């Protein structure tokens, strides 16, 4: 017969595993989209691409509902505004280098998931805040986690917070599974 301590330890281990898996997925998305993708994609080149062609290319890789000409036109407008602002920290980048060759018209598709990945990664870390008290570097306490689990307590891990975690895991699964980038 399992004691209350055994059940608590099993629950704490499950929570730590969820936090570790979340960190693993978030880390891979950040490394791919925000660190490595910029070595493969000339973001400014997206201004010359055809959003309809980009949507067709993206649809050949994924049936994600964002793979539409309207979405890629929206991405183009964001990039246009970013380019007009001077490209921020990327102003001295090597945009336009011949090594950045992509399929004709495909740049909005290749760069299209970059803004989504940026927005997604700031949401997924909320799981660490719920279970680990903070992000980055959530707390992993020996024998448990820093928050109590009590469905009726406002400051504890309660049903509202567990529903948030469930939603965020669902969104992570959708993003990673349906991401539009053909360079994945």
């Amino acid at each position: 017969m399992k004691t209350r301590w055994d059940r608590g330890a099993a629950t704490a281990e499950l929570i730590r595993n969820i936090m570790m898996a979340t960190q693993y997925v978030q880390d891979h998305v950040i490394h791919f989209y925000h660190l490595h993708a910029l070595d493969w994609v000339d973001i400014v080149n997206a201004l010359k691409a055809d959003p309809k062609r980009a949507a067709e290319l993206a649809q050949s890789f994924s049936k994600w509902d964002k793979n539409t000409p309207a979405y890629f036109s929206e991405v183009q407008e964001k990039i246009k505004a970013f380019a007009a602002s001077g490209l921020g920290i990327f102003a001295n980048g090597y945009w336009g280098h011949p090594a950045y060759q992509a399929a004709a018209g495909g740049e909005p598709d290749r760069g299209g998931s970059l803004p989504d990945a940026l927005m997604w990664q700031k949401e997924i870390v909320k799981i660490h805040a719920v279970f680990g008290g903070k992000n980055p570097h959530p707390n992993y306490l020996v024998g448990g986690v820093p928050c109590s689990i009590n469905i009726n307590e406002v400051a504890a891990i309660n049903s509202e917070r567990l529903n948030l975690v469930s939603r965020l895991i669902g969104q992570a699964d959708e993003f990673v599974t349906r991401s539009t980038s053909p360079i994945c």
Side-chain angles (χ1 to χ4, degrees):
M1 180 171 157
K2 287 195 173 192
T3 66
R4 183 175 174 195
W5 173 256
D6 292 332
R7 287 190 306 271
T11 301
E13 183 177 5
L14 177 63
I15 289 171
R16 286 192 302 271
N17 288 342
I18 290 170
M19 290 169 54
M20 215 168 21
T22 301
Q23 178 63 41
Y24 180 83
V25 172
Q26 185 221 15
D27 184 64
H28 279 69
V29 168
I30 287 172
H31 276 84
F32 178 77
Y33 284 102
H34 305 301
L35 300 177
H36 299 302
L38 296 176
D39 290 337
W40 299 93
V41 178
D42 184 344
I43 299 298
V44 178
N45 204 27
L47 298 174
K48 298 182 268 179
D50 175 11
K52 184 176 183 226
R53 168 76 178 104
E56 290 168 0
L57 180 62
Q59 288 168 4
S60 74
F61 290 94
S62 168
K63 298 303 176 200
W64 198 9
D65 59 355
K66 288 189 174 186
N67 292 341
T68 65
Y71 171 74
F72 290 114
S73 290
E74 202 176 293
V75 169
Q76 251 181 343
E77 289 302 315
K78 287 179 186 176
I79 293 170
K80 187 178 191 178
F82 183 58
S85 75
L87 299 173
I89 63 170
F90 304 108
N92 293 323
Y94 39 97
W95 308 114
H97 191 279
Y100 278 134
Q101 298 303 314
E107 286 294 343
D109 178 57
R110 290 184 176 205
S113 294
L114 290 167
D116 288 338
L118 188 59
M119 299 308 289
W120 172 84
Q121 71 87 24
K122 79 176 182 64
E123 292 298 312
I124 193 67
V125 297
K126 290 178 181 177
I127 292 174
H128 295 147
V130 168
F131 290 137
K134 63 184 181 121
N135 183 279
H137 314 297
N139 293 310
Y140 290 87
L141 300 176
V142 175
V145 292
C147 305
S148 65
I149 300 173
N150 185 333
I151 301 298
N152 300 315
E153 190 178 316
V154 175
I157 297 171
N158 56 30
S159 58
E160 179 183 340
R161 291 184 180 164
L162 291 175
N163 286 335
L164 171 64
V165 168
S166 178
R167 254 189 336 273
L168 292 170
I169 289 172
Q171 290 169 356
D173 181 52
E174 180 182 19
F175 179 80
V176 171
T177 302
R178 295 184 176 207
S179 173
T180 59
S181 181
I183 56 175
C184 288

